[in-house]
Amino acid sequence: RAMLNQVPGDTRGASLWTMGDELVTIYDFVMNAIGAIEPDERAQIEGMMTAMLGGASLRDDLLGNLHSDSMYYSVPGTSFTGAPESVMRTGVRNPEGLIKIVEAVARAVSEQAGMPVKLKSSEHEGVSLYELDLSATPVAAVLQPSFAIRDGELVFSDQLRRLKSTLNSEQGMADSLAKNGGLSGFLDSLGAAAELQSIKYADNAANFKTQYGQISQFLP
């Protein structure tokens, strides 16, 4: 419930949950199942990942790195299309490992797609920012995926300006989803019966309005 204080009140949709080692458990189960059925295929898959990621590990540097309280939400966009902008926040055990695997994936995508994708670093208010430079790809006009790691938390957004805005507003949000009386009352009724494990919220009316506005631009 306390996590709702960190979600903007005008969010179009949000998911909040607590994550442990579930992703690693799933990964190990899948790889062990493949190994039990087709040992050679598992070895081939692991060899391909080693070649692609170099010294980075999908299991340890990404899946096992994310943990603790996590949230994903979308807010009204500021681009000409009006598309919502997304933010994800979650705990990170090893920031250096996360940066290492993002660099490895960017390098692999560059080699496979033939278009350079680089991880650029900069600084904002004393915090290191990392931006996936997609300027040479077709999606560069609508996406600027970027992230920062501060106090053991990963803050990611599909837009660099949204990431900076999120970092600026972390200290004292003027309005938050916690102030939504209807949602709070509903959660009270759920919490009376059992402990809440996760929450998913969607503003269907706002989502429809945004999507209708985007479509109507092409239907004079």
Side-chain angles (χ1 to χ4, degrees), residues 43-56 104-105 107-109 111-112:
Q44 183 179 3
I45 293 173
E46 290 177 334
M48 291 173 57
M49 288 195 295
T50 299
M52 182 177 71
L53 301 178
V105 170
R107 183 171 58 250
V109 170
E111 294 172 354
Q112 295 295 323

Side-chain angles (χ1 to χ4, degrees), residues 47-77:
M48 291 173 57
M49 288 195 295
T50 299
M52 182 177 71
L53 301 178
S57 167
L58 175 65
R59 180 188 187 277
D60 300 328
D61 294 324
L62 181 61
L63 302 180
N65 209 348
L66 308 178
H67 76 110
S68 189
D69 292 341
S70 307
M71 68 179 71
Y72 172 89
Y73 60 84
S74 61
V75 291

Side-chain angles (χ1 to χ4, degrees), residues 105-146:
V105 170
R107 183 171 58 250
V109 170
S110 298
E111 294 172 354
Q112 295 295 323
M115 290 182 284
V117 176
K118 299 179 181 179
L119 186 65
K120 295 168 50 179
S121 62
S122 60
E123 192 171 286
H124 176 72
E125 300 293 337
V127 179
S128 295
L129 302 185
Y130 300 90
E131 176 188 357
L132 275 173
D133 182 4
L134 304 178
S135 56
T137 71
V139 299
V142 292
L143 290 178
Q144 287 182 299
S146 51

Side-chain angles (χ1 to χ4, degrees), residues 83-98:
E85 297 169 354
S86 62
V87 174
M88 187 187 83
R89 299 176 58 169
T90 188
V92 177
R93 291 188 172 99
N94 178 13
E96 293 77 13
L98 181 65

Side-chain angles (χ1 to χ4, degrees), residues 6 8 73 86-90 122-131 146-157 159-173:
Q6 303 174 55
Y73 60 84
S86 62
V87 174
M88 187 187 83
R89 299 176 58 169
T90 188
S122 60
E123 192 171 286
H124 176 72
E125 300 293 337
V127 179
S128 295
L129 302 185
Y130 300 90
E131 176 188 357
S146 51
F147 66 92
I149 301 174
R150 183 164 73 179
D151 299 330
E153 182 188 42
L154 165 70
V155 185
F156 169 87
S157 178
Q159 296 293 340
L160 179 59
R161 61 177 175 271
R162 177 60 60 183
L163 174 63
K164 293 180 177 179
S165 174
T166 301
L167 293 172
N168 292 342
S169 64
E170 280 184 344
Q171 306 300 326
M173 188 177 292

